Coordinates of all heavy atoms in Angstrom, one line a residue:
K763 N 86.7 101.3 73.5 CA 86.5 101.4 72.1 C 87.9 101.4 71.4 O 88.4 102.4 70.9 CB 85.7 102.6 71.6 CG 84.3 102.7 72.3 CD 83.6 103.9 71.9 CE 83.3 103.9 70.3 NZ 82.4 105.0 69.9
T764 N 88.4 100.1 71.3 CA 89.7 100.0 70.6 C 89.4 98.9 69.5 O 88.4 98.2 69.5 CB 90.8 99.4 71.5 OG1 90.5 98.1 71.9 CG2 90.9 100.2 72.8
F765 N 90.3 98.8 68.6 CA 90.2 97.8 67.5 C 90.2 96.3 68.0 O 89.4 95.5 67.6 CB 91.3 97.9 66.5 CG 91.3 97.0 65.3 CD1 90.4 97.2 64.3 CD2 92.1 95.9 65.3 CE1 90.4 96.3 63.3 CE2 92.0 94.9 64.2 CZ 91.1 95.1 63.3
S766 N 91.1 96.1 69.0 CA 91.1 94.7 69.6 C 89.8 94.4 70.3 O 89.3 93.3 70.2 CB 92.3 94.6 70.5 OG 93.5 94.7 69.8
H767 N 89.4 95.3 71.1 CA 88.0 95.1 71.8 C 86.9 94.9 70.9 O 86.1 94.1 71.1 CB 87.8 96.2 72.8 CG 88.7 96.2 74.0 ND1 89.9 96.8 74.0 CD2 88.6 95.5 75.3 CE1 90.5 96.6 75.3 NE2 89.7 95.8 76.0
A768 N 87.0 95.7 69.8 CA 85.9 95.6 68.8 C 85.9 94.2 68.1 O 84.9 93.5 67.9 CB 86.0 96.7 67.8
T769 N 87.2 93.7 67.9 CA 87.3 92.5 67.3 C 86.9 91.4 68.2 O 86.2 90.3 67.8 CB 88.8 92.2 67.0 OG1 89.3 93.1 66.0 CG2 89.1 90.8 66.4
A770 N 87.1 91.5 69.5 CA 86.7 90.6 70.5 C 85.1 90.5 70.6 O 84.6 89.4 70.7 CB 87.3 90.9 71.8
R771 N 84.5 91.6 70.5 CA 83.0 91.6 70.6 C 82.5 91.0 69.3 O 81.5 90.2 69.5 CB 82.6 93.1 70.8 CG 82.8 93.7 72.1 CD 82.2 95.0 72.4 NE 82.8 96.1 71.6 CZ 83.8 96.9 72.0 NH1 84.3 96.6 73.3 NH2 84.3 97.8 71.2
A772 N 83.0 91.2 68.2 CA 82.5 90.8 67.0 C 82.7 89.1 67.0 O 81.8 88.4 66.5 CB 83.2 91.3 65.8
A773 N 83.9 88.8 67.4 CA 84.2 87.3 67.5 C 83.3 86.5 68.4 O 82.7 85.5 68.1 CB 85.7 87.0 67.8
L774 N 83.1 87.2 69.5 CA 82.2 86.5 70.5 C 80.7 86.4 70.1 O 80.0 85.4 70.2 CB 82.2 87.2 71.9 CG 81.5 86.4 73.0 CD1 82.2 85.0 73.3 CD2 81.6 87.2 74.3
A775 N 80.2 87.5 69.5 CA 78.9 87.5 68.9 C 78.7 86.5 67.8 O 77.7 85.7 67.6 CB 78.5 88.8 68.4
S776 N 79.7 86.4 66.9 CA 79.7 85.3 65.9 C 79.8 84.0 66.4 O 79.0 83.0 65.9 CB 80.9 85.6 64.9 OG 80.9 86.9 64.4
S777 N 80.5 83.7 67.4 CA 80.6 82.4 68.0 C 79.2 82.0 68.6 O 78.8 80.8 68.4 CB 81.6 82.4 69.2 OG 81.6 81.2 69.8
S778 N 78.6 83.0 69.2 CA 77.2 82.7 69.7 C 76.2 82.3 68.7 O 75.4 81.4 68.9 CB 76.8 83.9 70.5 OG 75.4 83.7 71.0
L779 N 76.3 83.0 67.6 CA 75.4 82.7 66.5 C 75.5 81.2 66.0 O 74.6 80.5 65.7 CB 75.6 83.7 65.3 CG 75.1 85.1 65.5 CD1 75.6 86.0 64.3 CD2 73.6 85.1 65.6
L780 N 76.8 80.8 65.9 CA 77.1 79.5 65.4 C 76.6 78.4 66.4 O 76.1 77.4 66.1 CB 78.5 79.4 65.0 CG 79.1 80.1 63.8 CD1 80.6 79.9 63.7 CD2 78.4 79.7 62.6
Q781 N 76.9 78.7 67.7 CA 76.5 77.8 68.7 C 75.0 77.6 68.9 O 74.5 76.5 69.1 CB 77.1 78.3 70.1 CG 78.6 78.2 70.2 CD 79.2 76.8 70.2 OE1 78.4 75.8 69.9 NE2 80.3 76.6 70.7
Q782 N 74.3 78.7 68.7 CA 72.9 78.7 68.7 C 72.3 77.7 67.7 O 71.3 76.9 67.9 CB 72.2 79.9 68.5 CG 72.4 80.9 69.7 CD 71.9 82.3 69.4 OE1 70.9 82.5 68.6 NE2 72.5 83.4 70.0
Q783 N 72.9 77.6 66.5 CA 72.5 76.7 65.4 C 72.9 75.3 65.7 O 72.2 74.4 65.3 CB 73.1 77.2 64.1 CG 72.7 78.6 63.7 CD 71.1 78.7 63.6 OE1 70.4 77.9 63.0 NE2 70.7 79.8 64.0
K784 N 74.0 75.1 66.4 CA 74.5 73.8 66.6 C 73.9 73.1 67.8 O 73.9 71.8 68.0 CB 76.0 73.8 66.9 CG 76.9 73.8 65.6 CD 76.9 72.5 65.0 CE 77.8 72.4 63.8 NZ 77.9 71.0 63.2
Q785 N 73.3 73.9 68.7 CA 72.7 73.3 69.9 C 71.7 72.3 69.6 O 71.4 71.3 70.3 CB 72.1 74.4 70.9 CG 73.2 75.1 71.7 CD 72.6 76.2 72.5 OE1 71.4 76.5 72.3 NE2 73.4 76.7 73.5
S786 N 70.9 72.5 68.5 CA 69.8 71.6 68.2 C 70.3 70.3 67.7 O 69.7 69.3 67.8 CB 68.9 72.2 67.1 OG 69.7 72.5 66.0
L787 N 71.6 70.3 67.2 CA 72.2 69.0 66.8 C 73.0 68.3 67.9 O 73.5 67.2 67.7 CB 73.1 69.4 65.6 CG 72.5 70.1 64.4 CD1 73.5 70.4 63.4 CD2 71.4 69.2 63.8
G788 N 73.1 68.9 69.0 CA 73.8 68.4 70.1 C 75.3 68.2 69.9 O 76.0 67.3 70.4
S789 N 75.9 69.0 69.0 CA 77.3 69.0 68.8 C 78.0 70.4 68.8 O 77.2 71.4 68.8 CB 77.6 68.4 67.4 OG 77.0 69.1 66.4
E790 N 79.3 70.5 68.9 CA 80.0 71.8 69.0 C 80.5 72.2 67.6 O 81.0 71.3 66.8 CB 81.0 71.7 70.0 CG 80.6 71.6 71.4 CD 81.8 71.7 72.5 OE1 82.9 71.9 72.0 OE2 81.4 71.6 73.6
D791 N 80.5 73.4 67.3 CA 81.1 73.9 66.0 C 82.5 74.3 66.3 O 82.8 75.2 67.1 CB 80.2 75.1 65.5 CG 80.6 75.5 64.1 OD1 81.8 75.4 63.8 OD2 79.8 75.8 63.3
P792 N 83.6 73.7 65.6 CA 84.9 74.2 65.7 C 85.1 75.6 65.5 O 86.0 76.3 66.1 CB 85.7 73.2 64.7 CG 84.8 72.0 64.5 CD 83.4 72.6 64.7
L793 N 84.5 76.2 64.4 CA 84.7 77.5 64.1 C 84.1 78.4 65.3 O 84.8 79.5 65.6 CB 83.9 77.9 62.8 CG 84.0 79.3 62.4 CD1 85.5 79.8 62.2 CD2 83.2 79.5 61.1
A794 N 83.0 78.0 65.8 CA 82.5 78.7 67.0 C 83.5 78.7 68.1 O 83.7 79.8 68.9 CB 81.1 78.1 67.5
A795 N 84.1 77.6 68.4 CA 85.0 77.5 69.6 C 86.3 78.3 69.3 O 86.8 78.9 70.2 CB 85.4 76.0 69.7
A796 N 86.7 78.4 67.9 CA 87.8 79.2 67.6 C 87.6 80.6 67.7 O 88.4 81.4 68.2 CB 88.3 78.9 66.1
L797 N 86.4 81.1 67.4 CA 86.0 82.5 67.5 C 85.8 82.9 69.0 O 86.3 84.1 69.3 CB 84.6 82.7 66.8 CG 84.7 82.7 65.3 CD1 83.2 82.7 64.7 CD2 85.4 83.9 64.8
E798 N 85.5 82.0 69.8 CA 85.4 82.4 71.2 C 86.8 82.5 71.8 O 87.1 83.4 72.6 CB 84.7 81.3 72.0 CG 84.5 81.5 73.5 CD 83.7 80.6 74.3 OE1 82.9 80.0 73.7 OE2 84.0 80.5 75.5
K799 N 87.7 81.6 71.4 CA 89.1 81.8 71.8 C 89.7 83.1 71.3 O 90.5 83.7 71.9 CB 89.9 80.6 71.3 CG 89.5 79.3 72.0 CD 90.3 78.1 71.4 CE 90.0 76.8 72.1 NZ 90.4 76.8 73.5
L800 N 89.4 83.4 70.1 CA 89.9 84.7 69.4 C 89.4 85.9 70.3 O 90.0 86.8 70.5 CB 89.6 84.8 68.0 CG 89.8 86.1 67.3 CD1 91.3 86.4 67.2 CD2 89.2 86.2 65.9
A801 N 88.1 85.8 70.6 CA 87.5 86.9 71.4 C 88.2 87.2 72.7 O 88.6 88.3 73.0 CB 86.0 86.6 71.7
L802 N 88.5 86.1 73.4 CA 89.2 86.2 74.7 C 90.6 86.6 74.5 O 91.1 87.6 75.3 CB 89.2 84.8 75.4 CG 87.9 84.3 75.9 CD1 88.0 82.9 76.3 CD2 87.3 85.2 77.0
A803 N 91.3 86.2 73.5 CA 92.7 86.7 73.2 C 92.7 88.2 72.7 O 93.6 88.9 73.2 CB 93.3 85.8 72.1
S804 N 91.8 88.6 72.0 CA 91.7 90.0 71.4 C 91.4 90.9 72.6 O 92.0 92.0 72.6 CB 90.6 90.1 70.4 OG 90.9 89.3 69.2
E805 N 90.7 90.5 73.5 CA 90.4 91.4 74.6 C 91.7 91.6 75.4 O 92.0 92.7 75.9 CB 89.3 90.8 75.6 CG 89.0 91.7 76.7 CD 87.9 91.1 77.7 OE1 88.0 89.9 78.0 OE2 86.9 91.9 78.0
R806 N 92.5 90.5 75.6 CA 93.7 90.7 76.3 C 94.7 91.5 75.6 O 95.4 92.4 76.2 CB 94.4 89.2 76.6 CG 93.6 88.3 77.5 CD 94.1 86.9 77.5 NE 95.6 86.9 78.0 CZ 96.4 85.9 77.7 NH1 95.9 84.8 77.1 NH2 97.6 85.9 78.1
V807 N 94.8 91.4 74.3 CA 95.6 92.3 73.5 C 95.1 93.8 73.6 O 95.9 94.7 73.7 CB 95.5 91.9 72.0 CG1 96.2 92.9 71.1 CG2 96.2 90.5 71.8
G808 N 93.8 94.0 73.7 CA 93.3 95.4 73.8 C 93.7 95.9 75.1 O 94.0 97.1 75.2
E809 N 93.6 95.1 76.2 CA 94.0 95.6 77.5 C 95.5 95.9 77.5 O 95.8 96.9 78.2 CB 93.6 94.5 78.6 CG 92.1 94.3 78.8 CD 91.4 95.6 79.2 OE1 92.0 96.3 80.1 OE2 90.3 95.9 78.7
A810 N 96.3 95.1 76.9 CA 97.7 95.5 76.9 C 97.9 96.8 76.1 O 98.9 97.6 76.4 CB 98.4 94.3 76.1
R811 N 97.2 97.0 75.0 CA 97.3 98.3 74.3 C 96.9 99.4 75.2 O 97.6 100.5 75.1 CB 96.4 98.3 73.1 CG 96.9 99.2 72.0 CD 95.7 100.0 71.4 NE 95.2 101.0 72.2 CZ 94.2 101.9 72.0 NH1 93.5 101.7 70.8 NH2 93.8 102.8 72.8
L812 N 95.9 99.3 76.0 CA 95.5 100.4 76.9 C 96.6 100.7 78.0 O 96.9 101.8 78.4 CB 94.1 100.1 77.6 CG 93.0 100.1 76.7 CD1 91.7 99.7 77.5 CD2 92.7 101.5 76.0
A813 N 97.3 99.6 78.4 CA 98.3 99.8 79.4 C 99.4 100.5 78.7 O 100.2 101.3 79.4 CB 98.7 98.4 79.9
Q814 N 99.8 100.2 77.5 CA 100.8 100.9 76.7 C 100.5 102.4 76.6 O 101.3 103.2 76.9 CB 100.9 100.3 75.3 CG 101.8 101.2 74.4 CD 101.4 101.0 72.9 OE1 102.2 100.5 72.1 NE2 100.2 101.3 72.5
D815 N 99.3 102.7 76.3 CA 98.9 104.1 76.1 C 99.0 104.8 77.4 O 99.5 106.0 77.5 CB 97.4 104.2 75.6 CG 97.3 103.5 74.3 OD1 98.2 103.3 73.7 OD2 96.0 103.5 73.9
T816 N 98.6 104.3 78.5 CA 98.8 104.9 79.8 C 100.3 105.2 80.1 O 100.6 106.3 80.7 CB 98.2 104.1 81.0 OG1 96.8 103.8 80.7 CG2 98.4 104.7 82.3
Q817 N 101.1 104.2 79.9 CA 102.5 104.4 80.1 C 103.1 105.4 79.2 O 103.9 106.3 79.6 CB 103.2 103.1 79.8 CG 104.7 103.0 80.2 CD 105.3 101.7 80.1 OE1 104.6 100.7 79.9 NE2 106.7 101.6 80.3
I818 N 102.7 105.6 78.0 CA 103.2 106.6 77.0 C 102.7 108.0 77.5 O 103.4 108.9 77.4 CB 102.8 106.3 75.6 CG1 103.5 105.0 75.1 CG2 103.0 107.4 74.7 CD1 103.0 104.6 73.8
Q819 N 101.5 108.1 77.9 CA 101.0 109.4 78.4 C 101.8 109.9 79.5 O 102.1 111.1 79.6 CB 99.5 109.2 78.7 CG 98.6 109.0 77.6 CD 97.2 108.6 78.1 OE1 96.7 109.1 79.1 NE2 96.5 107.8 77.4
S820 N 102.2 109.1 80.5 CA 102.8 109.6 81.7 C 104.4 109.7 81.5 O 105.0 110.6 82.1 CB 102.5 108.7 82.9 OG 103.0 107.4 82.6

Side-chain angles (χ1 to χ4, degrees):
K763 296 183 69 173
T764 73
F765 179 78
S766 293
H767 286 90
T769 300
R771 290 189 286 270
L774 188 63
S776 300
S777 174
S778 176
L779 287 173
L780 293 175
Q781 290 289 19
Q782 291 174 28
Q783 299 302 319
K784 276 287 186 177
Q785 280 180 349
S786 59
L787 301 177
S789 61
E790 293 184 1
D791 189 322
L793 179 57
L797 286 168
E798 182 176 334
K799 291 178 181 294
L800 172 62
L802 293 170
S804 296
E805 183 180 47
R806 292 171 60 195
V807 172
E809 293 300 317
R811 202 224 76 180
L812 293 177
Q814 169 205 241
D815 296 352
T816 300
Q817 189 173 351
I818 289 174
Q819 291 170 32
S820 61

